[in-house]
């Protein structure tokens, strides 16, 4: 993965305001990547200093291996998960 791609993903995640979320796919689309999985990979390898908790799966759930910490961080920003999922917007 080239450094420019990593920086585009990092900037897109950094731009998500507190109290809001985006999906891995939305981030991939914003930065011109074909794969949402690449966004997840970049965040897992180089995202500790980012608001990674604001990035969710397409179905509004947290990745299982980080779900507890991610939902706690979202709750601290006023985002409440319902049955482990971000409520659908009306």
């Amino acid at each position: 993965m080239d450094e420019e791609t990593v920086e585009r993903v990092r900037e897109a995640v950094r731009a998500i305001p507190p109290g809001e979320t985006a999906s891995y796919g939305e981030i991939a689309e914003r930065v011109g990547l074909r794969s949402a999985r690449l966004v997840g990979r970049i965040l897992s390898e180089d995202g500790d200093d980012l608001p990674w908790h604001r990035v969710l799966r397409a179905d509004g759930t947290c990745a299982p291996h980080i779900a507890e910490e991610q939902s706690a961080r979202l709750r601290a920003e006023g985002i409440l998960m319902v049955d482990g999922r971000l409520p659908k917007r009306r």
Side-chain angles (χ1 to χ4, degrees):
M1 180 104 27
D2 66 271
E3 191 60 34
E4 181 182 328
T5 300
V6 171
E7 282 308 310
R8 287 195 329 258
V9 169
R10 289 177 53 79
E11 185 57 38
V13 172
R14 197 177 291 115
I16 303 169
E20 293 188 24
T21 62
S23 71
Y24 292 99
E26 289 170 334
I27 297 297
E29 188 176 308
R30 287 178 197 168
V31 302
L33 289 177
R34 291 178 164 201
S35 171
R37 289 178 185 253
L38 288 175
V39 173
R41 183 172 143 206
I42 290 168
L43 290 178
S44 72
E45 293 175 1
D46 190 31
D48 288 339
D49 61 332
L50 298 173
W52 57 266
H53 59 282
R54 297 179 189 148
V55 184
L56 299 169
R57 296 160 123 188
D59 66 358
T61 61
C62 301
H65 64 288
I66 57 173
E68 190 173 319
E69 182 177 357
Q70 188 170 23
S71 61
R73 287 179 179 222
L74 290 171
R75 192 171 36 256
E77 292 184 358
I79 298 174
L80 302 178
M81 307 294 270
V82 176
D83 295 325
R85 179 182 313 269
L86 188 66
K88 296 195 187 275
R89 295 180 185 159
R90 294 181 185 210

